[in-house]
Amino acid sequence: MTLVYFRLIAAACAGLLASTCAHADLSGNLQLHGFASQGAVQTSANRFYGNSPDTSFDFTEIGVTASWRLNPRLLLAAQALSRRAGEMSDGSPELDFALADINLIATDTHRAGLRIGRMKNRLGLYNETRDVPFTRPGIFLPQVVYFHKVRNLVLSTDGVQLYGELYRPFGTLSATLASGRPVIDENVEAALLRSNIPGQMKDRENSWLASLWFQSPAERLKLGLSGAAIALQQDWRLTPKTPTVDLLYWIASAQYNGPNWTISSEYMGLPTRWRDFSPVRPNRNQTTEGYYAQLTYRLAQPFELMLRYEEGFADRDDRDGTQLERLTQGMIPSQASSSRILSLGLRWDISRQWMLRAEYQRHNGNFILSEIENPDFRRFDKHWDLFAIQAAFRF
């Protein structure tokens, strides 16, 4: 089914190219950009992006982006990314996004268009640009909202997206509606199942994604509501029925930009339903939640300070994790179900191309840790510290 889907996308893109290349100046309107970063992570306990208790350098990002405007109505864009993140990602080159953006309507008061291909999902304030170090508020995004361990599941979708914008004197209203196939890897399976279950996790049907945003003039105020409905199944034949996992990942976002500072806050809800995994696990429903408040303050050029507090819970009805520990007979300790994190970061823009960052985090709980990097939950340390530095370059 996925192969058929890609063939349809390829055919549509080929048709668009054929119809426009004759009228386009193929030698112009081509832009190339790129970035590279290297980080070092040190933790007092637990593994985060590699063997961090002994200092890990397994945090590398390299990306190249190309965009080509064939004419005012058609833009082609793609980004290749190599990302090394401890045991969660080995740095193999991947297609981060590749799409055709078709401008259907454009006037002084509104605009509408269609995107086809692999698209970054417009979820929250940072998901679309989370791979570019210069666009993040810190070395790491708020991890209780933008989970590193299931990053690929919500990062992008192979499918079709409709988008529109409405321009008014009081601000801009924008909306998106998309459908397509999610990207699933072993990190997703480990985070959702927390055990080694035979078979492979895959999508059961198309995901649906939607967003609604408001921006005031000069982008002083930004408000948004975005979400994704994702249906998965485990390719496993040891039960009469096919095991399934259904998720509804949504984020409410707010941001205010002052002359020298920015305040951002988001709330994430993730209702999840597991069915037909017996005898491994009973049917159950669970709602994960996370939220944060963040202040970035632009000091005397070229420095910027970031302060953030965040909380996340695997199950909002079991915030202290006692039910989880009891149900797993102590195999998963209570502190694995929650994280409370205080972060302080400093950014130094050495030049337009070069940036240095340093960040300190104080952790209470282990909810944000990767199950692949930390397979033995009984060895979790509840209270731990993280210090990271990162150098980034762009062109």
Side-chain angles (χ1 to χ4, degrees):
M1 182 63 184
T2 303
L3 180 59
V4 173
Y5 204 81
F6 271 115
R7 285 175 177 172
L8 289 174
I9 293 173
C13 292
L16 288 167
L17 284 171
S19 64
T20 57
C21 281
H23 304 89
D25 178 9
L26 302 184
S27 63
N29 299 322
L30 176 64
Q31 295 188 17
L32 290 174
H33 301 282
F35 60 87
S37 71
Q38 176 62 52
V41 183
Q42 167 76 47
T43 59
S44 60
N46 307 312
R47 292 172 64 92
F48 189 86
Y49 280 41
N51 187 19
S52 52
D54 292 332
T55 305
S56 172
F57 294 92
D58 294 338
F59 181 29
T60 309
E61 300 164 302
I62 302 173
V64 177
T65 306
S67 63
W68 187 12
R69 182 164 293 283
L70 277 77
N71 61 38
R73 298 181 67 87
L74 178 60
L75 172 71
L76 302 181
Q79 177 172 289
L81 179 70
S82 171
R83 185 174 184 271
R84 187 174 53 151
E87 296 176 40
M88 293 182 290
S89 181
D90 62 4
S92 299
E94 298 178 351
L95 194 62
D96 205 29
F97 66 84
L99 58 89
D101 189 333
I102 309 159
N103 187 0
L104 301 176
I105 303 171
T107 71
D108 293 337
T109 60
H110 61 275
R111 182 171 76 102
L114 174 71
R115 298 186 180 108
I116 304 172
R118 173 167 290 185
M119 302 157 297
K120 284 292 190 68
N121 297 326
R122 193 174 189 188
L123 295 170
L125 293 169
Y126 303 113
N127 190 67
E128 284 184 297
T129 59
R130 66 188 296 169
D131 291 325
V132 182
F134 291 85
T135 65
R136 296 194 293 257
I139 296 177
F140 307 108
L141 289 177
Q143 296 148 61
V144 301
V145 173
Y146 301 92
F147 303 112
H148 295 305
K149 56 187 180 180
V150 293
R151 167 185 173 276
N152 284 345
L153 184 65
V154 297
L155 177 69
S156 57
T157 299
D158 299 326
V160 179
Q161 181 189 85
L162 288 169
Y163 65 88
E165 295 179 346
L166 184 64
Y167 312 119
R168 290 292 182 266
F170 57 82
T172 300
L173 293 171
S174 61
T176 63
L177 177 64
S179 180
R181 299 290 186 177
V183 179
I184 303 168
D185 60 15
E186 61 180 2
N187 293 291
V188 175
E189 184 173 346
L192 292 178
L193 301 184
R194 280 188 168 178
S195 58
N196 187 16
I197 293 178
Q200 182 179 8
M201 182 165 285
K202 59 185 182 181
D203 53 291
R204 191 168 79 250
E205 57 188 47
N206 280 359
S207 297
W208 287 90
L209 305 97
S211 69
L212 181 63
W213 291 88
F214 167 75
Q215 288 188 117
S216 67
E219 297 187 4
R220 279 294 182 92
L221 178 64
K222 188 174 184 178
L223 302 172
L225 182 64
S226 52
I230 304 171
L232 307 174
Q233 68 182 33
Q234 187 75 2
D235 187 13
W236 186 31
R237 305 303 179 191
L238 298 184
T239 59
K241 298 180 179 179
T242 300
T244 62
V245 183
D246 294 293
L247 309 95
L248 179 61
Y249 174 80
W250 64 274
I251 304 174
S253 311
Q255 186 177 80
Y256 185 81
N257 292 289
N260 297 311
W261 47 269
T262 299
I263 296 177
S264 307
S265 184
E266 294 187 285
Y267 176 91
M268 181 277 306
L270 179 58
T272 308
R273 185 178 70 173
W274 291 265
R275 290 294 183 269
D276 300 318
F277 279 91
S278 297
V280 178
R281 65 174 71 233
N283 293 344
R284 67 188 180 100
N285 298 333
Q286 173 182 296
T287 298
T288 300
E289 71 174 358
Y291 45 84
Y292 71 89
Q294 174 183 275
L295 170 67
T296 56
Y297 183 74
R298 291 169 283 281
L299 304 170
Q301 287 291 340
F303 297 100
E304 181 179 277
L305 189 68
M306 184 274 292
L307 178 64
R308 180 172 66 229
Y309 179 72
E310 56 191 295
E311 293 186 350
F313 306 94
D315 186 349
R316 69 181 181 189
D317 295 326
D318 182 30
R319 294 192 172 206
D320 60 5
T322 54
Q323 295 180 34
L324 176 64
E325 185 169 346
R326 185 177 66 253
L327 288 173
T328 60
Q329 299 180 351
M331 294 296 293
I332 302 179
S334 59
Q335 65 262 27
S337 67
S338 65
S339 280
R340 295 173 175 87
I341 309 170
L342 180 64
S343 301
L344 179 65
L346 179 65
R347 171 175 174 166
W348 177 20
D349 289 316
I350 302 173
S351 67
R352 186 183 179 281
Q353 287 77 33
W354 287 95
M355 176 189 70
L356 287 178
R357 267 198 167 119
E359 190 166 322
Y360 168 76
Q361 297 182 353
R362 175 60 177 172
H363 289 252
N364 179 353
N366 313 116
F367 169 55
I368 60 95
L369 291 175
S370 163
E371 288 78 5
I372 288 181
E373 292 201 303
N374 300 271
D376 188 353
F377 303 134
R378 293 169 296 183
R379 299 184 64 181
F380 278 152
D381 279 16
K382 182 177 181 180
H383 300 282
W384 54 289
D385 300 290
L386 180 150
F387 179 74
I389 57 175
Q390 183 184 54
F393 171 79
R394 64 182 172 185
F395 66 87

